[in-house]
Amino acid sequence: MMNRRNLLKRLASLPVVGGLLGSSIPLQSLAKPGIQAKQSLFKELGIRPLINARGTMTFLSGSLMEPEVVAAINETSRDFANMHEVEDKVGERIAEMLECEAAMVTSGAACALTIGTAAAITGVDMEKIRQIPNLPGPQPEVIIQKKHRYVFDQAVRSAGVKLVEVETPKEMEEAINERTVMSLFFNGAVDWYGIEDSINHEDFVAISKRNNIPSFIDAAADVPPVENLFKYQKMGFDMVTFSGGKMIRGPQSAGLLFGRKDLIEAAKLNFSPHESPIGRSMKVNKEEIFGMYVALKHYLEKDHEKEWQEWQGRVDHIAAKVETVNGVKGETHIPKGRANVFPGLNIHWDQSKVKITPEEVVEALRKGEPSIETSAGDDELWIAVVTLQPEHVDIVARRIKEVLETAV
């Protein structure tokens, strides 16, 4: 049976392939002529596009990429490159921008959690890299606050570790032993659960450093503000991850892992394009790597104050429109936690005058034309404006008003 490497050698020797590679034909000219840049694939496949007024949810395709990111993806799709070189050189530039020792582009923040954990276990030991997540001997352990357990810690457990829950600095200190490979801090716990951390950032880092274990913070959704990209590494966390497809507006399937150089280098060994590590199935293509680089560069350079004012203007516009319905009131809402800190709109009404529930409004907007995704609580409708295109703002305002008016 012909293996993969022999097949590649055979293909390389075929006249057609060899002729193209040895000719002077520009690589760009190999693209098929006449392909239209814009195709109605949504229509062709029967997929209904929607207006996202719910936020950067992965199941709603995150955020829309900046035009500069799309241009970078298109430009770099025309040529081949050595993926190790792409990863290394893009990582070096990202590290410069984030003022850290090392960085890499991952296939989302969840991937960063897995290969970052793997790096803490294996270092550069190739035998361990081949064996993970089924290492012989006692199971590696990761310290986490009990209040920080969350659905995405499965990405950490995928590396073959046991999560050890602690509730106080004293418990954390006592839980660390020869099997402990890392400590994990879920930065969004205060937002998800409405609770305070039982161990604050500074104590968490100090205990980790005192016991010589790497600390990892998951801050996936925690920009804006832009300062957060620098804040946690300055606190002393050894590894930091952010999502690339939320407010940085890179490819949805991209993320950032950055921090201590030895750990990032070990994470690379646990990742594609290496052929056998745990991260092989999490590969990120070169176009996404370049796209993530451009997205981060654009995000760092943009006028964040101007963008905030634009978001607030959207909130004010929608509120003014829906408040023309008797009994309806709109209020700006800015989360007080660390994740998704940007202005949104909460709309509530007197249900004795407007006889419809917020969940019924959500369903009406979803089923209407165009389809609009929103969310709701028991007594109010929640509108995310940061994922709206400028031309969608008035559409959303008009449709909400129409739905509410039908219930008056």
Side-chain angles (χ1 to χ4, degrees), residues 28-39:
Q28 289 86 342
S29 69
L30 299 179
K32 292 180 181 179
I35 293 180
Q36 299 297 313
K38 187 175 183 180
Q39 303 178 59

Side-chain angles (χ1 to χ4, degrees), residues 144-153 186-197:
I144 187 171
Q145 296 178 52
K146 186 175 182 178
K147 291 181 176 181
H148 284 199
R149 290 301 303 269
Y150 65 131
V151 293
F152 292 109
D153 67 40
F186 173 38
N187 207 44
V190 293
D191 303 272
W192 281 38
Y193 308 128
I195 49 88
E196 292 298 320
D197 304 317

